[in-house]
mmCIF file of all heavy atoms in Angstrom:
data_model
loop_
_atom_site.group_PDB
_atom_site.id
_atom_site.type_symbol
_atom_site.label_atom_id
_atom_site.label_comp_id
_atom_site.label_asym_id
_atom_site.label_seq_id
_atom_site.Cartn_x
_atom_site.Cartn_y
_atom_site.Cartn_z
ATOM 1 N N PRO G 855 -7.770 -10.022 17.060
ATOM 2 C CA PRO G 855 -6.533 -9.305 16.872
ATOM 3 C C PRO G 855 -5.977 -8.902 18.237
ATOM 4 O O PRO G 855 -6.619 -8.754 19.239
ATOM 5 C CB PRO G 855 -6.999 -8.016 16.145
ATOM 6 C CG PRO G 855 -8.429 -8.175 15.849
ATOM 7 C CD PRO G 855 -8.941 -9.392 16.575
ATOM 8 N N ALA G 856 -4.617 -8.731 18.196
ATOM 9 C CA ALA G 856 -3.928 -8.297 19.386
ATOM 10 C C ALA G 856 -4.446 -6.895 19.840
ATOM 11 O O ALA G 856 -4.917 -6.124 19.089
ATOM 12 C CB ALA G 856 -2.419 -8.260 19.092
ATOM 13 N N ALA G 857 -4.293 -6.611 21.047
ATOM 14 C CA ALA G 857 -4.682 -5.363 21.621
ATOM 15 C C ALA G 857 -3.986 -4.262 20.869
ATOM 16 O O ALA G 857 -2.838 -4.316 20.675
ATOM 17 C CB ALA G 857 -4.429 -5.278 23.097
ATOM 18 N N GLY G 858 -4.769 -3.315 20.413
ATOM 19 C CA GLY G 858 -4.171 -2.155 19.690
ATOM 20 C C GLY G 858 -4.025 -2.410 18.200
ATOM 21 O O GLY G 858 -3.725 -1.490 17.459
ATOM 22 N N ALA G 859 -4.221 -3.611 17.790
ATOM 23 C CA ALA G 859 -4.062 -3.933 16.336
ATOM 24 C C ALA G 859 -5.313 -3.415 15.620
ATOM 25 O O ALA G 859 -6.437 -3.466 16.116
ATOM 26 C CB ALA G 859 -3.867 -5.385 16.078
ATOM 27 N N ASP G 860 -5.158 -2.888 14.457
ATOM 28 C CA ASP G 860 -6.301 -2.466 13.638
ATOM 29 C C ASP G 860 -6.542 -3.387 12.511
ATOM 30 O O ASP G 860 -5.755 -3.449 11.545
ATOM 31 C CB ASP G 860 -5.955 -1.045 13.086
ATOM 32 C CG ASP G 860 -7.177 -0.407 12.304
ATOM 33 O OD1 ASP G 860 -8.159 -1.117 12.148
ATOM 34 O OD2 ASP G 860 -6.959 0.672 11.822
ATOM 35 N N PRO G 861 -7.587 -4.260 12.571
ATOM 36 C CA PRO G 861 -7.833 -5.260 11.553
ATOM 37 C C PRO G 861 -8.147 -4.717 10.200
ATOM 38 O O PRO G 861 -7.986 -5.352 9.167
ATOM 39 C CB PRO G 861 -9.077 -6.099 12.024
ATOM 40 C CG PRO G 861 -9.708 -5.096 13.007
ATOM 41 C CD PRO G 861 -8.698 -4.222 13.538
ATOM 42 N N ASP G 862 -8.553 -3.380 10.141
ATOM 43 C CA ASP G 862 -8.874 -2.785 8.788
ATOM 44 C C ASP G 862 -7.586 -2.207 8.139
ATOM 45 O O ASP G 862 -7.623 -1.745 7.012
ATOM 46 C CB ASP G 862 -9.925 -1.671 9.013
ATOM 47 C CG ASP G 862 -11.219 -2.254 9.445
ATOM 48 O OD1 ASP G 862 -11.556 -3.417 9.115
ATOM 49 O OD2 ASP G 862 -11.927 -1.536 10.221
ATOM 50 N N ARG G 863 -6.519 -2.097 8.866
ATOM 51 C CA ARG G 863 -5.304 -1.593 8.380
ATOM 52 C C ARG G 863 -4.590 -2.609 7.515
ATOM 53 O O ARG G 863 -4.216 -3.634 8.080
ATOM 54 C CB ARG G 863 -4.398 -1.042 9.464
ATOM 55 C CG ARG G 863 -3.238 -0.309 8.967
ATOM 56 C CD ARG G 863 -2.570 0.397 10.059
ATOM 57 N NE ARG G 863 -1.404 1.105 9.681
ATOM 58 C CZ ARG G 863 -0.457 1.588 10.395
ATOM 59 N NH1 ARG G 863 -0.495 1.482 11.713
ATOM 60 N NH2 ARG G 863 0.520 2.167 9.864
ATOM 61 N N GLY G 864 -4.408 -2.385 6.236
ATOM 62 C CA GLY G 864 -3.679 -3.382 5.404
ATOM 63 C C GLY G 864 -2.303 -3.562 5.706
ATOM 64 O O GLY G 864 -1.614 -2.748 6.355
ATOM 65 N N GLN G 865 -1.728 -4.634 5.305
ATOM 66 C CA GLN G 865 -0.357 -4.921 5.499
ATOM 67 C C GLN G 865 0.330 -5.309 4.213
ATOM 68 O O GLN G 865 -0.297 -5.983 3.381
ATOM 69 C CB GLN G 865 -0.062 -5.848 6.593
ATOM 70 C CG GLN G 865 -0.559 -7.260 6.290
ATOM 71 C CD GLN G 865 -0.284 -8.206 7.481
ATOM 72 O OE1 GLN G 865 0.078 -7.753 8.588
ATOM 73 N NE2 GLN G 865 -0.457 -9.460 7.261
ATOM 74 N N GLY G 866 1.509 -4.883 4.037
ATOM 75 C CA GLY G 866 2.258 -5.252 2.800
ATOM 76 C C GLY G 866 3.622 -4.639 2.761
ATOM 77 O O GLY G 866 3.922 -3.831 3.699
ATOM 78 N N GLU G 867 4.358 -4.970 1.770
ATOM 79 C CA GLU G 867 5.651 -4.441 1.641
ATOM 80 C C GLU G 867 5.835 -4.243 0.134
ATOM 81 O O GLU G 867 5.755 -5.148 -0.694
ATOM 82 C CB GLU G 867 6.762 -5.335 2.154
ATOM 83 C CG GLU G 867 8.143 -4.739 2.079
ATOM 84 C CD GLU G 867 9.209 -5.554 2.846
ATOM 85 O OE1 GLU G 867 8.841 -6.194 3.822
ATOM 86 O OE2 GLU G 867 10.346 -5.556 2.322
ATOM 87 N N LEU G 868 6.099 -3.015 -0.268
ATOM 88 C CA LEU G 868 6.168 -2.647 -1.676
ATOM 89 C C LEU G 868 7.472 -1.876 -1.925
ATOM 90 O O LEU G 868 7.913 -1.050 -1.137
ATOM 91 C CB LEU G 868 5.006 -1.688 -2.104
ATOM 92 C CG LEU G 868 3.621 -2.319 -1.954
ATOM 93 C CD1 LEU G 868 2.602 -1.272 -2.286
ATOM 94 C CD2 LEU G 868 3.407 -3.488 -2.878
ATOM 95 N N LEU G 869 8.081 -2.161 -3.088
ATOM 96 C CA LEU G 869 9.179 -1.325 -3.612
ATOM 97 C C LEU G 869 8.532 -0.339 -4.591
ATOM 98 O O LEU G 869 7.985 -0.749 -5.602
ATOM 99 C CB LEU G 869 10.215 -2.232 -4.267
ATOM 100 C CG LEU G 869 11.389 -1.413 -4.934
ATOM 101 C CD1 LEU G 869 12.135 -0.597 -3.868
ATOM 102 C CD2 LEU G 869 12.274 -2.273 -5.654
ATOM 103 N N LEU G 870 8.635 0.913 -4.255
ATOM 104 C CA LEU G 870 8.070 2.014 -5.143
ATOM 105 C C LEU G 870 9.230 2.627 -5.819
ATOM 106 O O LEU G 870 10.248 3.042 -5.189
ATOM 107 C CB LEU G 870 7.377 3.002 -4.249
ATOM 108 C CG LEU G 870 6.277 2.442 -3.286
ATOM 109 C CD1 LEU G 870 5.791 3.577 -2.339
ATOM 110 C CD2 LEU G 870 5.136 1.816 -4.079
ATOM 111 N N THR G 871 9.040 2.883 -7.097
ATOM 112 C CA THR G 871 10.102 3.534 -7.868
ATOM 113 C C THR G 871 9.469 4.688 -8.758
ATOM 114 O O THR G 871 8.290 4.560 -9.113
ATOM 115 C CB THR G 871 10.868 2.648 -8.905
ATOM 116 O OG1 THR G 871 10.014 2.141 -9.868
ATOM 117 C CG2 THR G 871 11.508 1.483 -8.113
ATOM 118 N N LEU G 872 10.301 5.638 -9.020
ATOM 119 C CA LEU G 872 9.879 6.759 -9.999
ATOM 120 C C LEU G 872 11.109 6.947 -10.907
ATOM 121 O O LEU G 872 12.252 6.806 -10.567
ATOM 122 C CB LEU G 872 9.782 8.078 -9.201
ATOM 123 C CG LEU G 872 8.596 8.163 -8.225
ATOM 124 C CD1 LEU G 872 8.784 9.461 -7.455
ATOM 125 C CD2 LEU G 872 7.339 8.164 -8.988
#
Side-chain angles (χ1 to χ4, degrees):
D860 183 358
D862 295 328
R863 187 171 179 192
Q865 63 180 13
E867 186 169 329
L868 300 174
L869 175 61
L870 306 173
T871 66
L872 294 171

